[in-house]
Amino acid sequence: VREHRSDAIGSIVSSTSRRAVVLRCVMRLRSVLLSSVVSVACSTSEADPESAGGTTGGDAPTTESSEGGPTTVASSNADDTSTTGPTTSDPTTDSTGDSSTGEEVGTPGCRAPEPLAEGEHGFTLDGLERRYIVRLPQSYSPDRTWPLIFALHGNGGNPNYWDQTGGDRDIRTAFADEAILIIPEAINNAWRDYDADPSTWPAGMELELDFFDTVYETARNELCIDTDNVFSMGFSGGGSFSGVLGCRRDYIRAIAVGGSVIYFNHEDCTEKPAAWITIGDGELNGGRIAFRDFFVQNAGCDETSTPGEPQGCVDYDACDAGSPVTYCSHPAGHVWPSIGTEATRAFFRSFYAR
């Protein structure tokens, strides 16, 4: 009986041991399988840049971008407000692109296949045949932006007034490698037709403003323009209309004028252009003084001034930032003075040659 009982107990123990071994194997296998599943799931979550999960602190994970460099993925940490960072590509900063944003900079003309040709251009606008002349810098290239200067002839004149070399009005040489020149022609060669009924003057002014807007847009689309440095200069009626442009068009940075009077209503002047103004002793009258004083007050300047350059010029004090005003007298009459071109160049250069 003892032997049979001992054999029975041994059989039970042996069977129990085998079951324990099997159970341990099953538990171990189950543990391995669960570990593998968790590992795969975690690996998938970290590799997916669009996953809502991610790390809860430290650096955000990175994935390989299509450009071959790492792209930073935003962390899911609620305290981290950063967004997806830039790739490690290294674009070149020039007139065609901005390395910080990847956006194109400069005017569309910086990327035009062919620039606006030098020489005379004509088109029809508002039922009128219009004309202007383009003079490009000697080393013009769309790889950089260029200042733009409108040069306006006097009433009764034409673009040849400025489109010449030699003499006191030789702006082509003065700006030969610095700026784009556009020399427009007025309707009937007059920016204000004093032979017409004054009631027609406002409509004529709007036609001319439309003309300048159209030419400026053409220049933007076909030339590489520095839009922060667009200027207007002129003599007599051309100076007077430069005042209109400076007052009513935000793309005009500064004006340089001689022998001019006010063509606009004061309340229509919404801009504060910088101004260089010259008046001859032989042409000094109330209308020209009023033009000078308006732009001094418009720029927020004091009535006081300090001596400037060249001799005979003064710089008004305490003008608003970005709107300096210089006044130059000269001993002649109603002419563009001998100091005019070089002084205009120096004034305009004070904005773009920094």
Side-chain angles (χ1 to χ4, degrees):
V1 173
R2 286 197 196 97
E3 289 179 358
H4 287 298
R5 185 180 298 166
S6 177
D7 291 342
I9 291 172
S11 178
I12 291 170
V13 171
S14 178
S15 177
T16 301
S17 298
R18 287 195 297 271
R19 285 198 297 268
V21 171
V22 171
L23 181 59
R24 283 196 301 271
C25 289
V26 170
M27 293 299 292
R28 186 175 299 168
L29 180 59
R30 180 184 179 190
S31 176
V32 171
L33 289 173
L34 286 174
S35 176
S36 298
V37 170
V38 171
S39 176
V40 171
C42 292
S43 175
T44 302
S45 177
E46 289 178 1
D48 183 3
E50 303 217 356
S51 171
T55 57
T56 58
D59 295 336
T62 61
T63 59
E64 198 72 15
S65 74
S66 60
E67 299 293 332
T71 303
T72 302
V73 179
S75 168
S76 63
N77 187 349
D79 294 331
D80 186 358
T81 57
S82 66
T83 58
T84 301
T87 65
T88 58
S89 58
D90 184 22
T92 302
T93 301
D94 55 19
S95 67
T96 62
D98 183 345
S99 62
S100 63
T101 64
E103 295 179 356
E104 292 180 336
V105 296
T107 60
C110 299
R111 296 167 292 281
E114 294 291 337
L116 186 65
E118 178 162 304
E120 183 174 323
H121 296 265
F123 63 98
T124 301
L125 181 68
D126 299 318
L128 300 169
E129 295 299 318
R130 306 308 309 262
R131 183 171 76 104
Y132 64 96
I133 294 172
V134 174
R135 296 299 175 196
L136 299 177
Q138 292 174 351
S139 60
Y140 175 80
S141 167
D143 293 335
R144 55 156 288 191
T145 58
W146 297 84
L148 169 64
I149 301 170
F150 290 107
L152 283 61
H153 62 77
N155 291 335
N158 60 57
N160 292 335
Y161 183 86
W162 295 114
D163 189 35
Q164 59 177 280
T165 56
D168 294 338
R169 303 192 300 272
D170 187 5
I171 62 172
R172 289 180 56 177
T173 299
F175 295 102
D177 209 25
E178 294 186 10
I180 297 166
L181 299 177
I182 292 184
I183 310 171
E185 185 174 67
I187 298 171
N188 297 325
N189 302 100
W191 302 106
R192 168 173 281 181
D193 186 356
Y194 284 98
D195 292 330
D197 187 328
S199 65
T200 65
W201 292 349
M205 183 183 302
E206 297 305 316
L207 288 173
E208 296 292 16
L209 287 170
D210 191 21
F211 170 54
F212 277 95
D213 291 345
T214 302
V215 173
Y216 178 58
E217 189 63 20
T218 298
R220 288 184 74 256
N221 287 329
E222 300 187 39
L223 295 171
C224 198
I225 303 296
D226 177 359
T227 56
D228 290 330
N229 288 296
V230 179
F231 308 101
S232 185
M233 64 177 295
F235 171 67
S236 190
S240 302
F241 204 85
S242 289
V244 175
L245 289 171
C247 263
R248 295 190 53 188
R249 289 300 181 264
D250 60 4
Y251 53 78
I252 299 297
R253 177 71 184 81
I255 62 173
V257 304
S260 303
V261 297
I262 294 175
Y263 278 4
F264 51 84
N265 294 323
H266 290 196
E267 60 270 21
D268 293 336
C269 188
T270 58
E271 308 300 326
K272 290 186 177 184
W276 183 90
I277 300 166
T278 184
I279 304 173
D281 294 341
E283 63 174 352
L284 192 64
N285 61 29
R288 295 190 174 97
I289 292 172
F291 182 95
R292 178 197 65 192
D293 292 349
F294 174 85
F295 281 96
V296 170
Q297 296 167 9
N298 185 59
C301 309
D302 290 344
E303 294 181 359
T304 60
S305 61
T306 55
E309 294 292 337
Q311 185 175 357
C313 299
V314 295
D315 300 324
Y316 284 92
D317 299 325
C319 300
D320 292 347
S323 299
V325 176
T326 295
Y327 169 64
C328 299
S329 63
H330 64 86
H334 190 56
V335 295
W336 183 252
S338 58
I339 65 168
T341 296
E342 196 53 43
T344 293
R345 176 175 177 263
F347 188 69
F348 288 168
R349 279 176 58 87
S350 69
F351 300 104
Y352 63 78
R354 297 181 178 179

